[in-house]
Amino acid sequence: MFNLAVRGHDLSGITRPESLAQAVASKDVRNVQFALSASFPEWSAADKINPGMGTFFKQTFAASHVQIALLSCYSNLIHPDAAVREEILSKFEQYLFHARYFGAAMVASETGSVIPALGYSEENFTDAVFDDLVEVISRLVSVGEQHQTMVGIEAGLNHPLYSNHRIAELIKRVPSPYLGIIYDPTNLITAETAADQVSIVKEAFEMFGDQIVCLHLKDYQIDGNRIVPVPLGEGQIAYKEILNILQEKKPMCYVVLEETKDTGIERAVTLLKNL
């Protein structure tokens, strides 16, 4: 068993918090990964977030029996411009402080890129950039420890955190229970390695399973040499095998549907209920 969640911004055409909470509940889902910047960008600035806002959203979702499982603050944490980076990290720290009022256990982000627009660069794979990332994550985790909020970090092939081994190295260098890994198996495969996806997931749970706090479930198809995300059930992800591993290693863990939207959520929920 697991705690299924959806991303709030995967529900279209919603302009009011109450409507979003009701829409999530209507899909028979009881958890949400909530990104203020995507769902209600006018409220997402660091200087606007406050305890009252967090309490409002917590109560609004709770009225529909939905919990904010993760508070999203996806940003380029290693932005090359020092001033821009400081603004990004300060905002993340504000989210860490206020997460308790939203009822969220963690604040989530990917690591980012040395390219400001999050583009591809082989420089991301260097030890120097990884050392920089370690310093950034150490800072955020230290703040998370102060406020008893986890920092949820997601890896990706084009980022400094691009493999199971790099994730394990980050955990070794930032040894804190407040560093949680949001594991997206599809983020870490290529067209060439897709056939080994289940083995890669098994390896991840063997290497650092104790710090996996959420699984992103993103289906995909292979188009030439590209991994193309599709709604769950329309692609090649071995979701049954992956969820079996999760059930064995991390029962009741959060599982967030990604790139599955609107009516696709209903189909995905039916698929997962029939496992």
Side-chain angles (χ1 to χ4, degrees):
M1 297 177 68
F2 49 86
N3 267 308
L4 184 64
V6 295
R7 301 186 307 182
H9 53 286
D10 282 334
L11 293 155
S12 303
I14 293 173
T15 58
R16 297 174 60 249
E18 296 84 355
S19 300
L20 178 57
Q22 293 161 8
V24 172
S26 74
K27 306 298 184 185
D28 201 16
V29 176
R30 294 292 174 260
N31 301 282
V32 65
Q33 179 168 337
F34 185 47
L36 269 171
S37 61
S39 294
F40 306 104
E42 67 276 15
W43 291 1
S44 66
D47 60 353
K48 289 188 176 181
I49 191 171
N50 64 82
M53 180 193 293
T55 301
F56 165 74
F57 277 107
K58 179 181 178 180
Q59 292 176 342
T60 299
F61 279 99
S64 294
H65 307 288
V66 174
Q67 179 203 15
I68 298 174
L70 299 83
L71 193 60
S72 284
C73 191
Y74 276 65
S75 311
N76 189 351
L77 300 181
I78 57 167
H79 196 288
D81 184 301
V84 175
R85 181 189 295 194
E86 182 58 34
E87 184 177 336
I88 288 169
L89 297 183
S90 294
K91 180 177 180 178
F92 199 103
E93 289 167 348
Q94 283 294 308
Y95 275 58
L96 285 169
F97 176 81
H98 288 96
R100 73 190 91 173
Y101 303 109
F102 288 83
M106 68 193 83
V107 180
S109 180
E110 293 178 330
T111 60
S113 170
V114 296
I115 303 296
L118 298 175
Y120 176 84
S121 171
E122 292 191 1
E123 188 181 347
N124 284 326
F125 312 139
T126 64
D127 288 339
V129 171
F130 186 77
D131 290 343
D132 191 22
L133 174 66
V134 169
E135 184 174 339
V136 165
I137 299 302
S138 295
R139 167 179 166 174
L140 295 179
V141 168
S142 177
V143 175
E145 289 172 344
Q146 295 173 33
H147 304 307
Q148 297 187 321
T149 301
M150 297 185 73
V151 176
I153 294 298
E154 181 178 354
L157 280 184
N158 293 336
H159 299 166
L161 208 63
Y162 56 81
S163 69
N164 285 345
H165 289 279
R166 273 303 204 198
I167 296 172
E169 185 177 353
L170 177 67
I171 291 169
K172 181 178 180 181
R173 293 180 61 180
V174 188
S176 171
Y178 284 90
L179 171 59
I181 301 302
I182 298 172
Y183 196 76
D184 186 331
T186 304
N187 274 6
L188 297 175
I189 58 169
T190 64
E192 291 73 26
T193 62
D196 300 321
Q197 186 175 45
V198 174
S199 297
I200 293 170
V201 173
K202 286 180 179 178
E203 178 187 67
F205 276 93
E206 290 167 359
M207 294 177 71
F208 48 83
D210 55 338
Q211 286 189 254
I212 293 176
V213 294
C214 175
L215 182 81
H216 273 183
L217 200 57
K218 180 165 59 194
D219 208 346
Y220 65 90
Q221 294 176 352
I222 298 175
D223 180 9
N225 63 351
R226 297 188 307 124
I227 297 290
V228 181
V230 296
L232 185 68
E234 298 182 15
Q236 302 175 30
I237 190 172
Y239 67 92
K240 295 179 183 179
E241 292 87 346
I242 291 171
L243 290 174
N244 279 338
I245 297 168
L246 185 74
Q247 167 65 15
E248 178 186 352
K249 302 291 187 179
K250 284 277 182 172
M252 303 311 299
C253 187
Y254 289 124
V255 173
V256 181
L257 296 176
E258 187 171 348
E259 301 297 338
T260 299
K261 307 176 187 295
D262 299 321
T263 56
I265 294 173
E266 297 167 13
R267 294 193 296 270
V269 169
T270 298
L271 281 176
L272 296 174
K273 279 187 172 182
N274 290 332
L275 287 178

